[in-house]
Every structure is written in structure tokens, then in C-alpha cells.
Amino acid sequence: MRKFWKIVIAFVLILSITASGLYLVFRPQDADVLKQTSLKASTVAFGDLEDYLLDNPGKHYIYFCQTTSTDCEFVKNDLLVKLADDANVTLFEDIEPVDMSALSKDISSNAIRKAWGFSHYPAFVAYDSTSGEIIIGNVLEWDADQPFTMDEIKTWMKNVGIWRAEYTN
């Protein structure tokens, strides 16, 4: 009986050493996850937007997004990154991100449209606060049934005058 246990222990020992060795040889590599973006790192909270626009008079090109939205992440980390590659830039300096995360669920889309010019996000909106009041300009907003494309973002940028001559396309 003692010989039996020695054989079992030896077998388990050989099996565990072999399994550990195989794991070390075929272990998956750590993926280098680099979250790319082509927007400014600083964001304005939605609740602070009116004060921000009035305290900084001029033209503003705002990207409205909610950080937990997959649509927003797709636009920011896929469409805008590809558009930046096409333009040979790393960052669209004129576009200012606004975080919609603090927006109350009780606020209707019609109220947002009346106040800010859009009702769905992600959205790109041009504002002019030069005269001390906020004037809504060109709007490009997301529609789940017909989402916008990289070309539509580029067209919006051209229409509002922020697609620069040094961009290659």
C-alpha cells in the first residue's frame, strides 16, 4: 500500500510540474491596451457649460458625450481617431468635449434641444458666445437608426470652419 501512495504522489508531482512548465511556455502575453483619442484630455461638465461659454466668449465647437455610452466611445476612439489619422494630426484642438454623465434622466430631449440645439448624443455643436449670449450654430447629432459617419464629422468640421488647410484631405 505504501508503494501505491509513492507512485500516486510521484505521478501528481510530475503532472503538476509538467502543467506549470506548459503554462509558463504558452502563457498569454499581456495586451498593450492603449486607449486612443483625438480630443483634448480636459472636459467640461454639462452643468458648467453655460458659465464656461459665457466666461470664455468666442466660438466653441463642442462634442457632447457620456463617458459610459458605447456610442460615444465609438465616435471618440474610432471615428475621430481615424479622421485624425486622415488629417495627419494627433489632436483636434478646436473640439471641446463636454461630459453629459451628470445630466438628469428627468430632463426631456425636447428641453435639451430647446436649450442646447440637440436632443441625442454623441453630438457636435457649434456655439458663438461673442456677444454675451449663446447662439447655437451647426449641429451634428447621433441617431441610433442612422448614426453619423466619419465623412459627416469631416463635413461638419468644414461647415463650421475648423477643418484646417494643413489637414491633408
Side-chain angles (χ1 to χ4, degrees), residues 66-84:
Q66 186 175 24
T67 56
T68 58
S69 167
T70 56
D71 293 335
C72 288
E73 291 300 309
F74 169 71
V75 171
K76 185 174 80 171
N77 295 323
D78 190 62
L79 294 180
L80 286 174
V81 168
K82 288 177 183 175
L83 191 59

PDB file of all heavy atoms in Angstrom, residues 66-84:
ATOM      1  N   GLN A  66     -21.361  61.073 -23.236  1.00  0.00           N
ATOM      2  CA  GLN A  66     -21.449  60.489 -21.900  1.00  0.00           C
ATOM      3  C   GLN A  66     -20.388  59.399 -21.832  1.00  0.00           C
ATOM      4  O   GLN A  66     -20.332  58.526 -22.709  1.00  0.00           O
ATOM      5  CB  GLN A  66     -22.838  59.916 -21.662  1.00  0.00           C
ATOM      6  CG  GLN A  66     -23.054  59.423 -20.261  1.00  0.00           C
ATOM      7  CD  GLN A  66     -24.495  58.982 -20.047  1.00  0.00           C
ATOM      8  OE1 GLN A  66     -25.199  58.639 -20.969  1.00  0.00           O
ATOM      9  NE2 GLN A  66     -24.905  58.988 -18.803  1.00  0.00           N
ATOM     10  N   THR A  67     -19.555  59.445 -20.811  1.00  0.00           N
ATOM     11  CA  THR A  67     -18.406  58.546 -20.748  1.00  0.00           C
ATOM     12  C   THR A  67     -18.788  57.070 -20.705  1.00  0.00           C
ATOM     13  O   THR A  67     -17.992  56.227 -21.091  1.00  0.00           O
ATOM     14  CB  THR A  67     -17.527  58.873 -19.527  1.00  0.00           C
ATOM     15  OG1 THR A  67     -18.346  58.813 -18.350  1.00  0.00           O
ATOM     16  CG2 THR A  67     -16.904  60.240 -19.652  1.00  0.00           C
ATOM     17  N   THR A  68     -19.990  56.752 -20.272  1.00  0.00           N
ATOM     18  CA  THR A  68     -20.397  55.352 -20.187  1.00  0.00           C
ATOM     19  C   THR A  68     -21.123  54.875 -21.442  1.00  0.00           C
ATOM     20  O   THR A  68     -21.511  53.721 -21.520  1.00  0.00           O
ATOM     21  CB  THR A  68     -21.322  55.132 -18.975  1.00  0.00           C
ATOM     22  OG1 THR A  68     -22.464  55.994 -19.099  1.00  0.00           O
ATOM     23  CG2 THR A  68     -20.585  55.410 -17.679  1.00  0.00           C
ATOM     24  N   SER A  69     -21.283  55.724 -22.424  1.00  0.00           N
ATOM     25  CA  SER A  69     -22.003  55.375 -23.647  1.00  0.00           C
ATOM     26  C   SER A  69     -21.072  54.701 -24.654  1.00  0.00           C
ATOM     27  O   SER A  69     -20.020  55.244 -25.005  1.00  0.00           O
ATOM     28  CB  SER A  69     -22.607  56.631 -24.274  1.00  0.00           C
ATOM     29  OG  SER A  69     -23.052  56.369 -25.581  1.00  0.00           O
ATOM     30  N   THR A  70     -21.479  53.545 -25.138  1.00  0.00           N
ATOM     31  CA  THR A  70     -20.669  52.853 -26.144  1.00  0.00           C
ATOM     32  C   THR A  70     -20.673  53.613 -27.463  1.00  0.00           C
ATOM     33  O   THR A  70     -19.683  53.590 -28.184  1.00  0.00           O
ATOM     34  CB  THR A  70     -21.159  51.416 -26.358  1.00  0.00           C
ATOM     35  OG1 THR A  70     -22.549  51.443 -26.708  1.00  0.00           O
ATOM     36  CG2 THR A  70     -20.957  50.572 -25.114  1.00  0.00           C
ATOM     37  N   ASP A  71     -21.774  54.294 -27.770  1.00  0.00           N
ATOM     38  CA  ASP A  71     -21.815  55.107 -28.990  1.00  0.00           C
ATOM     39  C   ASP A  71     -20.791  56.228 -28.914  1.00  0.00           C
ATOM     40  O   ASP A  71     -20.077  56.507 -29.883  1.00  0.00           O
ATOM     41  CB  ASP A  71     -23.214  55.689 -29.209  1.00  0.00           C
ATOM     42  CG  ASP A  71     -24.254  54.623 -29.513  1.00  0.00           C
ATOM     43  OD1 ASP A  71     -23.883  53.544 -30.007  1.00  0.00           O
ATOM     44  OD2 ASP A  71     -25.448  54.872 -29.244  1.00  0.00           O
ATOM     45  N   CYS A  72     -20.719  56.873 -27.761  1.00  0.00           N
ATOM     46  CA  CYS A  72     -19.748  57.960 -27.565  1.00  0.00           C
ATOM     47  C   CYS A  72     -18.320  57.444 -27.668  1.00  0.00           C
ATOM     48  O   CYS A  72     -17.464  58.074 -28.297  1.00  0.00           O
ATOM     49  CB  CYS A  72     -19.962  58.624 -26.209  1.00  0.00           C
ATOM     50  SG  CYS A  72     -21.444  59.637 -26.119  1.00  0.00           S
ATOM     51  N   GLU A  73     -18.054  56.317 -27.059  1.00  0.00           N
ATOM     52  CA  GLU A  73     -16.715  55.738 -27.118  1.00  0.00           C
ATOM     53  C   GLU A  73     -16.349  55.361 -28.549  1.00  0.00           C
ATOM     54  O   GLU A  73     -15.213  55.538 -28.972  1.00  0.00           O
ATOM     55  CB  GLU A  73     -16.606  54.524 -26.191  1.00  0.00           C
ATOM     56  CG  GLU A  73     -16.651  54.891 -24.719  1.00  0.00           C
ATOM     57  CD  GLU A  73     -15.517  55.815 -24.306  1.00  0.00           C
ATOM     58  OE1 GLU A  73     -14.341  55.515 -24.605  1.00  0.00           O
ATOM     59  OE2 GLU A  73     -15.796  56.855 -23.684  1.00  0.00           O
ATOM     60  N   PHE A  74     -17.316  54.849 -29.301  1.00  0.00           N
ATOM     61  CA  PHE A  74     -17.079  54.509 -30.712  1.00  0.00           C
ATOM     62  C   PHE A  74     -16.712  55.756 -31.510  1.00  0.00           C
ATOM     63  O   PHE A  74     -15.750  55.753 -32.281  1.00  0.00           O
ATOM     64  CB  PHE A  74     -18.318  53.832 -31.307  1.00  0.00           C
ATOM     65  CG  PHE A  74     -18.260  53.678 -32.795  1.00  0.00           C
ATOM     66  CD1 PHE A  74     -17.396  52.763 -33.382  1.00  0.00           C
ATOM     67  CD2 PHE A  74     -19.063  54.454 -33.617  1.00  0.00           C
ATOM     68  CE1 PHE A  74     -17.328  52.629 -34.758  1.00  0.00           C
ATOM     69  CE2 PHE A  74     -19.016  54.322 -34.993  1.00  0.00           C
ATOM     70  CZ  PHE A  74     -18.143  53.408 -35.573  1.00  0.00           C
ATOM     71  N   VAL A  75     -17.465  56.826 -31.331  1.00  0.00           N
ATOM     72  CA  VAL A  75     -17.190  58.061 -32.069  1.00  0.00           C
ATOM     73  C   VAL A  75     -15.824  58.612 -31.679  1.00  0.00           C
ATOM     74  O   VAL A  75     -15.001  58.951 -32.538  1.00  0.00           O
ATOM     75  CB  VAL A  75     -18.301  59.111 -31.829  1.00  0.00           C
ATOM     76  CG1 VAL A  75     -17.908  60.463 -32.401  1.00  0.00           C
ATOM     77  CG2 VAL A  75     -19.614  58.635 -32.431  1.00  0.00           C
ATOM     78  N   LYS A  76     -15.576  58.680 -30.377  1.00  0.00           N
ATOM     79  CA  LYS A  76     -14.333  59.288 -29.890  1.00  0.00           C
ATOM     80  C   LYS A  76     -13.099  58.454 -30.207  1.00  0.00           C
ATOM     81  O   LYS A  76     -12.084  58.984 -30.649  1.00  0.00           O
ATOM     82  CB  LYS A  76     -14.437  59.523 -28.379  1.00  0.00           C
ATOM     83  CG  LYS A  76     -13.239  60.258 -27.795  1.00  0.00           C
ATOM     84  CD  LYS A  76     -13.440  60.606 -26.347  1.00  0.00           C
ATOM     85  CE  LYS A  76     -13.167  59.415 -25.483  1.00  0.00           C
ATOM     86  NZ  LYS A  76     -13.144  59.704 -24.061  1.00  0.00           N
ATOM     87  N   ASN A  77     -13.185  57.151 -29.986  1.00  0.00           N
ATOM     88  CA  ASN A  77     -11.991  56.312 -30.090  1.00  0.00           C
ATOM     89  C   ASN A  77     -11.880  55.557 -31.407  1.00  0.00           C
ATOM     90  O   ASN A  77     -10.899  54.845 -31.606  1.00  0.00           O
ATOM     91  CB  ASN A  77     -11.944  55.325 -28.926  1.00  0.00           C
ATOM     92  CG  ASN A  77     -11.791  56.034 -27.608  1.00  0.00           C
ATOM     93  OD1 ASN A  77     -11.100  57.035 -27.509  1.00  0.00           O
ATOM     94  ND2 ASN A  77     -12.458  55.540 -26.588  1.00  0.00           N
ATOM     95  N   ASP A  78     -12.864  55.687 -32.275  1.00  0.00           N
ATOM     96  CA  ASP A  78     -12.768  55.030 -33.572  1.00  0.00           C
ATOM     97  C   ASP A  78     -12.888  56.061 -34.698  1.00  0.00           C
ATOM     98  O   ASP A  78     -11.934  56.302 -35.413  1.00  0.00           O
ATOM     99  CB  ASP A  78     -13.844  53.944 -33.705  1.00  0.00           C
ATOM    100  CG  ASP A  78     -13.642  53.085 -34.929  1.00  0.00           C
ATOM    101  OD1 ASP A  78     -12.591  52.419 -35.012  1.00  0.00           O
ATOM    102  OD2 ASP A  78     -14.507  53.100 -35.830  1.00  0.00           O
ATOM    103  N   LEU A  79     -14.055  56.684 -34.813  1.00  0.00           N
ATOM    104  CA  LEU A  79     -14.267  57.621 -35.922  1.00  0.00           C
ATOM    105  C   LEU A  79     -13.315  58.812 -35.860  1.00  0.00           C
ATOM    106  O   LEU A  79     -12.689  59.170 -36.867  1.00  0.00           O
ATOM    107  CB  LEU A  79     -15.713  58.111 -35.931  1.00  0.00           C
ATOM    108  CG  LEU A  79     -16.796  57.077 -36.232  1.00  0.00           C
ATOM    109  CD1 LEU A  79     -18.172  57.729 -36.213  1.00  0.00           C
ATOM    110  CD2 LEU A  79     -16.554  56.377 -37.544  1.00  0.00           C
ATOM    111  N   LEU A  80     -13.194  59.438 -34.692  1.00  0.00           N
ATOM    112  CA  LEU A  80     -12.329  60.623 -34.587  1.00  0.00           C
ATOM    113  C   LEU A  80     -10.849  60.273 -34.703  1.00  0.00           C
ATOM    114  O   LEU A  80     -10.066  61.064 -35.240  1.00  0.00           O
ATOM    115  CB  LEU A  80     -12.602  61.378 -33.293  1.00  0.00           C
ATOM    116  CG  LEU A  80     -13.899  62.175 -33.277  1.00  0.00           C
ATOM    117  CD1 LEU A  80     -14.157  62.770 -31.901  1.00  0.00           C
ATOM    118  CD2 LEU A  80     -13.883  63.268 -34.324  1.00  0.00           C
ATOM    119  N   VAL A  81     -10.465  59.094 -34.224  1.00  0.00           N
ATOM    120  CA  VAL A  81      -9.064  58.674 -34.357  1.00  0.00           C
ATOM    121  C   VAL A  81      -8.731  58.446 -35.828  1.00  0.00           C
ATOM    122  O   VAL A  81      -7.684  58.885 -36.317  1.00  0.00           O
ATOM    123  CB  VAL A  81      -8.793  57.412 -33.506  1.00  0.00           C
ATOM    124  CG1 VAL A  81      -7.446  56.804 -33.851  1.00  0.00           C
ATOM    125  CG2 VAL A  81      -8.850  57.748 -32.026  1.00  0.00           C
ATOM    126  N   LYS A  82      -9.634  57.791 -36.558  1.00  0.00           N
ATOM    127  CA  LYS A  82      -9.404  57.577 -37.996  1.00  0.00           C
ATOM    128  C   LYS A  82      -9.398  58.908 -38.753  1.00  0.00           C
ATOM    129  O   LYS A  82      -8.584  59.104 -39.659  1.00  0.00           O
ATOM    130  CB  LYS A  82     -10.478  56.655 -38.565  1.00  0.00           C
ATOM    131  CG  LYS A  82     -10.322  55.220 -38.118  1.00  0.00           C
ATOM    132  CD  LYS A  82     -11.446  54.351 -38.644  1.00  0.00           C
ATOM    133  CE  LYS A  82     -11.320  52.925 -38.122  1.00  0.00           C
ATOM    134  NZ  LYS A  82     -12.466  52.103 -38.515  1.00  0.00           N
ATOM    135  N   LEU A  83     -10.277  59.816 -38.367  1.00  0.00           N
ATOM    136  CA  LEU A  83     -10.321  61.133 -39.009  1.00  0.00           C
ATOM    137  C   LEU A  83      -9.031  61.906 -38.723  1.00  0.00           C
ATOM    138  O   LEU A  83      -8.492  62.568 -39.614  1.00  0.00           O
ATOM    139  CB  LEU A  83     -11.542  61.916 -38.525  1.00  0.00           C
ATOM    140  CG  LEU A  83     -11.887  63.196 -39.262  1.00  0.00           C
ATOM    141  CD1 LEU A  83     -12.142  62.925 -40.745  1.00  0.00           C
ATOM    142  CD2 LEU A  83     -13.102  63.845 -38.635  1.00  0.00           C
ATOM    143  N   ALA A  84      -8.530  61.811 -37.508  1.00  0.00           N
ATOM    144  CA  ALA A  84      -7.265  62.468 -37.161  1.00  0.00           C
ATOM    145  C   ALA A  84      -6.105  61.872 -37.964  1.00  0.00           C
ATOM    146  O   ALA A  84      -5.214  62.593 -38.411  1.00  0.00           O
ATOM    147  CB  ALA A  84      -6.999  62.347 -35.662  1.00  0.00           C
TER     148      ALA A  84
END
